[in-house]
Amino acid sequence: MKHLLGISDLTADQITKILDTATHFKEVINRPIKKVPSLRDITIANVFFENSTRTRLSFELAQKRLSADVINFAASNSSVKKGETLVDTVNNILAMKVDMIVMRHASVGAPHFLAKHVNAQIVNAGDGTHEHPTQALLDCFSIREKLGEIAGKKIAIIGDILHSRVALSDILAFKKLGAEVMLCSPPTLVPKHAIEAWGVKVTHNLQETLEWCDVANVLRIQLERQQIKYFPSLREYSIYFGINKQMLDNLNKEIVLMHPGPINRGVELSADAADSGHSIILDQVENGVAVRMAVLYLLAGGE
Ligand code: CP
């Protein structure tokens, strides 16, 4: 594969190959010397048109652990503010002998457009409400690490499905690897075509969802993408769809709690749930570096 634009382009075997490669890189990043020379001839630009903490830093660290040369571009302090187009911006970066572009953009399809119009490998680090493939890969890696396998597991995705790029990439990846997927949200925050198009169950009952699932993957309410009100108030959302530690303890079973971050503490998750023994949220962040190393290594031609 030349690019990584979405989970929709990957087969189950390709996903498994990335996860297996990431297992090797997780061992590497836990060594005293965390660096390997695999990408020492490659230059990568991280081109971010939207805010990020985890994804941008995780890609940069993955690139440095692989010995790539790295440059970082943030649209907010660039000549984009003077009217330069996306293609001109990226072509100017490529003129500096850059080989690969990791891009986050607020517009759906921006990395797919770029892949058609510039001569470089493109990795999608999140395009609007569409896909976030490396988040789904690190989520799969984290579930596999915790539960042994994904096939046959019951995974619930709870929260703002409508505005989430993580939701679509996760659903595609979990289904390809043989999991059962249930979505839980207020009726206004789940796309109406979801059940038929994605082959998932949909419910609006949080307690029923928690009793059903092995993994609860909780998503943030994305107020910045909501132009209209989808529910009366955050307080009311939290009463019906917020998860606290007591709710998880009362299930009397092992349940894995995940969240891609950033967390709205006190809205979708209480602080005691986010920091509880059920949570693998910081493991997800650690695994993100290994998974992104695997993606970059394989795209650069590694075996
Ligand atoms: N999970 C995630 O994409 O986080 P950031 O927006 O901080 O990169």
Side-chain angles (χ1 to χ4, degrees):
M1 276 186 48
K2 183 173 179 189
H3 312 289
L4 176 62
L5 300 178
I7 297 294
S8 56
D9 299 329
L10 298 180
T11 64
D13 283 349
Q14 286 173 315
I15 295 172
T16 303
K17 171 87 174 168
I18 294 168
L19 304 186
D20 291 346
T21 308
T23 302
H24 165 69
F25 283 124
K26 179 145 185 190
E27 186 263 312
V28 168
I29 62 176
N30 281 287
R31 290 179 193 160
I33 297 171
K34 300 173 173 57
K35 215 162 165 162
V36 288
S38 312
L39 296 193
R40 73 178 160 213
D41 301 326
I42 305 274
T43 303
I44 306 176
N46 298 312
V47 177
F48 276 63
F49 289 83
E50 219 191 43
N51 294 343
S52 170
T53 298
R54 280 147 291 271
T55 310
R56 206 198 63 69
L57 292 176
S58 177
F59 265 113
E60 183 174 349
L61 206 51
Q63 293 149 3
K64 288 179 170 167
R65 298 282 191 244
L66 292 167
S67 304
D69 289 323
V70 182
I71 56 172
N72 291 304
F73 166 94
S76 52
N77 58 9
S78 75
S79 291
V80 168
K81 293 285 173 204
K82 303 173 194 165
E84 195 164 33
T85 67
L86 173 62
V87 170
D88 276 346
T89 299
V90 172
N91 272 331
N92 277 269
I93 293 170
L94 294 176
M96 299 177 211
K97 307 298 174 209
V98 167
D99 304 294
M100 203 184 282
I101 300 286
V102 174
M103 187 177 79
R104 171 168 287 190
H105 202 286
S107 296
V108 169
H112 307 71
F113 171 80
L114 205 58
K116 288 198 180 102
H117 290 93
V118 305
N119 185 23
Q121 291 186 279
I122 309 293
V123 180
N124 182 3
D127 62 321
T129 57
H130 182 217
E131 278 229 41
H132 192 349
T134 57
Q135 179 68 45
L137 292 166
L138 76 88
D139 288 346
C140 289
F141 184 94
S142 303
I143 294 169
R144 199 175 79 159
E145 182 179 63
K146 183 75 181 170
L147 299 180
E149 60 181 342
I150 293 176
K153 295 291 178 289
K154 294 176 175 169
I155 306 176
I157 302 176
I158 301 163
D160 185 353
I161 318 285
L162 187 66
H163 299 98
S164 171
R165 53 190 166 218
V166 176
L168 177 58
S169 290
D170 271 352
I171 291 165
L172 294 171
F174 297 158
K175 297 274 303 171
K176 285 182 188 209
L177 295 182
E180 280 184 72
V181 179
M182 182 183 276
L183 308 182
C184 176
S185 76
T188 49
L189 285 179
V190 64
K192 293 200 172 20
H193 64 274
I195 309 171
E196 284 173 27
W198 296 338
V200 295
K201 301 181 178 80
V202 177
T203 171
H204 313 301
N205 184 320
L206 178 61
Q207 185 60 31
E208 178 186 294
T209 304
L210 294 176
E211 285 168 11
W212 174 84
C213 68
D214 303 304
V215 177
N217 190 16
V218 183
L219 303 177
R220 179 172 70 89
I221 292 294
Q222 303 204 21
L223 287 176
E224 77 276 17
R225 295 193 203 279
Q226 297 182 11
Q227 308 304 328
I228 58 170
K229 272 177 112 51
Y230 289 86
F231 47 85
S233 68
L234 283 177
R235 188 162 172 273
E236 185 163 303
Y237 178 86
S238 177
I239 290 168
Y240 288 101
F241 292 95
I243 296 174
N244 61 46
K245 182 171 179 293
Q246 192 64 55
M247 293 164 72
L248 300 175
D249 291 345
N250 288 348
L251 295 168
N252 284 321
K253 65 171 186 179
E254 187 184 0
I255 182 165
V256 179
L257 181 68
M258 301 174 67
H259 193 302
I263 301 170
N264 288 321
R265 285 178 181 249
V267 180
E268 67 268 9
L269 280 184
S270 67
D272 67 357
D275 301 332
S276 72
H278 303 287
S279 166
I280 60 162
I281 293 170
L282 291 180
D283 300 307
Q284 290 174 261
V285 178
E286 177 184 347
N287 293 336
V289 178
V291 166
R292 290 177 174 117
M293 286 173 80
V295 166
L296 298 168
Y297 173 77
L298 292 169
L299 284 176
E303 287 296 326

